[in-house]
Amino acid sequence: MADKYCNPRNTKFLLHEVFKAASLNRFEHYEAYDEESIDMALDAAKQIGDRILFPIVTEMDKEKAYFDGKEVHVHPQLRTAIQAIGAGGWIGCADDYEHDGQQMPLMVMNTALFTFYAANPNAAPYAFLTQGAANLI
């Protein structure tokens, strides 16, 4: 299952060898992000994808959200998926520390988002709609 929806080796190669993401830690804002911490973040995202998002992707493809005229019905595991993404700090990970974020470089955050969306394009958008709404405030 590890390489069914994305290949961590390829994404890490792009971040480290092509884009030199760890070099961003020369800026004070991103000083916590060396190669090891970037890899730890990407591994954590992959674990959420492997354990929670990917196992329900086929079911969610078949059982789409729908509105019955009174309320919206979604897949029962969607709550678990959103909670895992939120508990991992991913929703506001690029925000400053003073706003309870992790000051994660956008390049790293977007690589993690790629992992979530590749694992389950039905579930990931729900969590990140919250991020978009928060950015409007």
Side-chain angles (χ1 to χ4, degrees), residues 93-132:
C93 64
D95 294 342
D96 292 342
Y97 293 138
E98 65 190 46
H99 295 109
D100 296 327
Q102 300 172 30
Q103 291 185 191
M104 186 178 286
L106 290 175
M107 184 183 309
V108 178
M109 180 196 78
N110 286 325
T111 304
L113 292 185
F114 162 75
T115 301
F116 296 142
Y117 279 82
N120 192 327
N122 301 301
Y126 285 93
F128 296 104
L129 284 170
T130 303
Q131 181 186 41

Side-chain angles (χ1 to χ4, degrees), residues 1-11 46 50 54 114 118:
M1 173 169 23
D3 293 334
K4 282 194 174 195
Y5 60 91
C6 76
N7 186 326
R9 182 175 167 260
N10 289 349
T11 55
K46 185 73 166 71
D50 287 348
F54 190 71
F114 162 75

Side-chain angles (χ1 to χ4, degrees), residues 5-6 8 10-16 21 33 35-49 90 104 107-116:
Y5 60 91
C6 76
N10 289 349
T11 55
K12 288 177 183 179
F13 169 78
L14 287 169
L15 277 180
H16 298 310
Y33 288 92
E35 191 167 320
E36 182 181 355
S37 62
I38 290 170
D39 285 348
M40 286 173 49
L42 297 179
D43 292 344
K46 185 73 166 71
Q47 286 179 357
I48 292 171
W90 291 102
M104 186 178 286
M107 184 183 309
V108 178
M109 180 196 78
N110 286 325
T111 304
L113 292 185
F114 162 75
T115 301
F116 296 142

Side-chain angles (χ1 to χ4, degrees), residues 56-112:
I56 60 171
V57 69
T58 303
E59 286 177 43
M60 289 189 77
D61 275 342
K62 292 176 184 174
E63 300 171 27
K64 297 291 186 186
Y66 66 93
F67 180 64
D68 67 7
K70 293 185 180 182
E71 51 186 43
V72 175
H73 299 270
V74 296
H75 190 279
Q77 290 299 313
L78 183 60
R79 178 185 300 270
T80 303
I82 293 171
Q83 287 174 337
I85 292 168
W90 291 102
I91 293 174
C93 64
D95 294 342
D96 292 342
Y97 293 138
E98 65 190 46
H99 295 109
D100 296 327
Q102 300 172 30
Q103 291 185 191
M104 186 178 286
L106 290 175
M107 184 183 309
V108 178
M109 180 196 78
N110 286 325
T111 304

